[in-house]
């Protein structure tokens, strides 16, 4: 049996579409964990990235922090948090947020830094207050890059959120871990396929988001 | 009036960009700051809207220190135009221009109506309103920059090399447009350039700065050309300042000869009557110049226009300067310039000789006026 057959068997079994271990439940859990983690990461990464980018200071400290964040293995962090905190969502959220903050933070900082200085100078010279300079001049132009940072973070979260299953939580990771444990390869392949599909949907959502929010003047008709 | 009072700017790294500079910028006129790269022009300009704070000295606006009012209130009362326009690429042309009115709380609809009005004023096609900056040429972007600076109708306009990034033809168009707008609006403009020709063309007053941020001379352009304060200014003005100075002398008083003008269909008698002149200017039925010819080469009633000598570029007495007249005479193979009226009809011809006399007369008159002014000043001091 090859992978396609496994996947087919998994998705055509109607038992996989109902109940607490059904696809809708697991998918909803997975999306909930991911959105929550992305929200916290954005709440930390965006403001710091925007402010440091605007004032052009703290770049070195940020780069150091980001490298450290990336070097931490998510799984190791999960185990550590689990031992430390015990069961619950928190030991899962911490590694996911730690994973997602660096791309958001660093990209946002770089995005604001790379905005052409002359419109910014013109805006100040016209008497625009600093907050408006940031949100009405810099952010709209930096938006494509900022969104790409968020997108990278979101995709990493979606694929890493499977680790929640290790600490007895739900999500698509359940199929993979239970499948491996039960030697039920249909389940493993089905779970992995769903994670990949969710990552693709995430890409699509971000593409749509940038179509809606980025000005055609910045997109340059492209 | 803007009064720059003994202002010094020393940057944190020790560079003295402006050194004890004092200037009185007249109201409703264009004051140009000119000088070599790095002489402190931009720094001086940016101290007026407090984008740079002076280390010493102060700047007064209508008698009050500019630090008396909130910095953003001050800046909104001064239009600011920079070299590459600095347009907001995510906003349409209309919304770019509406920026300052929106900052001042004008409702969106009203601000846009005002922006549309300004597009017309600076010579931008209304069809460009919904476009984004990247869809405009450099010259058009610069016009948008000027419109944006004028949108809230500020009394003062600060312009930092606004036209230096466009090609010479477009630049000339923008300069003419600025002069026309200034005629209509009468703003107090401080204009920075490193191009002395631009300074002379646009400036009511020109401040020449030297490296190290010191004032070399502050004078009207004609005076700058006739009496440069020192070798630095003279050098900066360039080689042909004598010729350029002629731009400030009117051609209205040139004595025109009308005798050597004949129509293309003139009869033999008319031609014979005028054959004393070495060359005759042949005109078409409407009186527009066609070219020069020696009298004995002209055949009555049937002029071969292909045989005529080029008449060069004509000048309009009263509108054009002595420089244009002299240029026309120098370029003409006959050594004579053709004067035309507003419709391009020949009204007379004038020789290099006569133009030369007019130049000498104008010089001595200018010198006399300068002496009189000097005497009046001396009187006033006493
Ligand atoms: N922020 C700054 N920090 C330190 N030195 C500066 C700064 N800005 C300008 N300078 C220096 O001050 C001097 C004057 O600069 P400024 O920009 O006013 O010259 P400028 O006359 O406008 O020159 P240009 O024609 O090249 O635009 C230069 O030597 C420049 O290097
Ligand atoms: Mg400059």
């Amino acid at each position: 049996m090859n992978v396609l057959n496994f996947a087919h068997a998994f998705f055509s079994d109607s038992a996989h579409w109902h109940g607490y271990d059904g696809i809708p439940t697991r998918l909803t859990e997975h999306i909930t964990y991911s959105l929550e983690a992305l929200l916290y990461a954005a709440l930390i990464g965006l403001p710091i990235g925007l402010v440091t980018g605007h004032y052009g200071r703290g770049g070195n400290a940020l780069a150091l922090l980001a490298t450290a964040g990336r070097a931490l293995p998510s799984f190791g962090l999960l185990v550590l948090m689990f031992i430390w905190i015990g069961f619950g969502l928190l030991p899962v959220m911490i590694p996911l947020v730690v994973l997602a903050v660096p791309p958001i933070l660093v990209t946002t900082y770089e995005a604001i830094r790379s905005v052409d200085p002359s419109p910014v100078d013109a805006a100040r010279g016209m008497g625009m207050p600093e907050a408006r300079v940031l949100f009405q001049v810099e952010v709209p132009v930096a938006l494509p890059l900022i969104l790409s940072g968020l997108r990278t973070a979101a995709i990493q979260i979606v694929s890493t959120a499977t680790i929640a299953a290790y600490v007895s939580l739900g999500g698509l990771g359940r199929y993979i871990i239970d499948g491996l444990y039960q030697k039920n390869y249909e389940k493993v392949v089905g779970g992995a396929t769903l994670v990949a599909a969710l990552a693709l949907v995430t890409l699509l959502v971000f593409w749509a988001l940038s179509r809606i929010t980025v000005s055609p003047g910045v997109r340059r008709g492209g | 009036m803007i009064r720059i009072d003994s202002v010094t700017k020393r940057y944190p790294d020790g560079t003295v960009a402006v050194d004890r500079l004092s200037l009185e910028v007249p109201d409703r006129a264009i004051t140009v700051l000119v000088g070599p790269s790095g002489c402190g022009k931009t720094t001086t300009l940016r101290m007026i809207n407090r984008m740079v704070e002076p280390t010493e000295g102060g700047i007064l606006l209508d008698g009050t220190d500019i630090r008396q009012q909130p910095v953003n209130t001050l800046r909104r009362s001064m239009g600011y135009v920079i070299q590459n326009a600095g347009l907001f690429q995510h906003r349409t042309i209309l919304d770019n221009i509406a920026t300052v009115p929106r900052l001042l709380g004008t409702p969106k609809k009203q601000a846009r109506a005002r922006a549309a009005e300004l597009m017309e004023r600076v010579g931008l096609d209304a069809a460009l309103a919904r476009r984004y900056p990247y869809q405009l040429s450099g010259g058009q972007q610069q016009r948008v920059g000027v419109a944006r600076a004028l949108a809230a109708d500020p009394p003062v306009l600060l312009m930092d090399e606004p036209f230096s990034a466009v090609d010479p033809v477009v630049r000339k168009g923008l300069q003419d447009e600025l002069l026309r707008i200034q005629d209509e609006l009468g703003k107090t403009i401080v204009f920075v350039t490193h191009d002395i020709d631009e300074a002379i063309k646009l400036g009511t007053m020109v401040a020449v700065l030297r490296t190290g941020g010191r004032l070399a001379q502050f004078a009207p352009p004609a005076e700058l050309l006739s009496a440069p304060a020192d070798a630095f200014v003279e050098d900066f003005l360039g080689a042909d300042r004598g010729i350029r100075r002629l731009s400030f002398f009117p051609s209205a008083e040139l004595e025109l000869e009308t005798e050597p003008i004949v129509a293309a269909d003139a009869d033999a008698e008319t031609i014979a009557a005028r054959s004393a002149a070495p060359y005759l200017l042949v005109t078409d039925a409407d009186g527009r110049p066609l070219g020069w010819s020696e009298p004995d080469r002209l055949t009555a009633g049937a002029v071969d226009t292909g045989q005529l000598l080029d008449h060069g570029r004509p000048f309009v007495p009263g509108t054009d300067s002595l420089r244009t007249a002299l240029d026309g005479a120098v370029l003409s193979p006959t050594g004579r310039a053709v004067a035309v009226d507003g419709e391009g009809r020949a009204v007379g011809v004038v020789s290099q000789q006569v133009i030369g006399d007019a130049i000498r007369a104008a010089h001595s008159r200018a010198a006399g006026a300068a002496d009189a002014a000097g005497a009046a000043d001396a009187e006033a001091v006493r």
Side-chain angles (χ1 to χ4, degrees), chain B residues 91-97 112 115-116 119 124-133 135-136 144:
Chain B
R91 289 194 182 160
T92 60
I93 299 310
L94 206 62
D95 287 338
N96 260 283
I97 299 174
R112 283 189 171 159
M119 285 187 69
L124 282 168
D125 191 341
L128 301 178
R130 299 250 147 265
R131 290 213 194 159
Y132 288 93
Q135 295 166 312
L136 264 55
V144 177

Side-chain angles (χ1 to χ4, degrees), chain A residues 3 16 20 41 53 73 81 93 111 115 152 158 161 189 194 211-212 219:
Chain A
V3 173
H16 287 142
Y20 78 93
M81 289 300 138
M93 277 302 140
V115 170
T152 307
V158 165
V189 171
L194 284 168
R211 291 299 296 187
I212 298 165
R219 222 164 42 218

Side-chain angles (χ1 to χ4, degrees), chain A residues 121 124 127 136 215 217 221, chain B residues 46 75-76 80 89-90 134:
Chain A
D121 185 66
R124 285 203 182 104
Q136 295 185 2
S215 153
Chain B
R46 287 164 70 89
R75 288 177 186 168
R76 288 170 200 173
Y80 184 47
Q89 52 163 308
H90 61 288
Y134 79 95

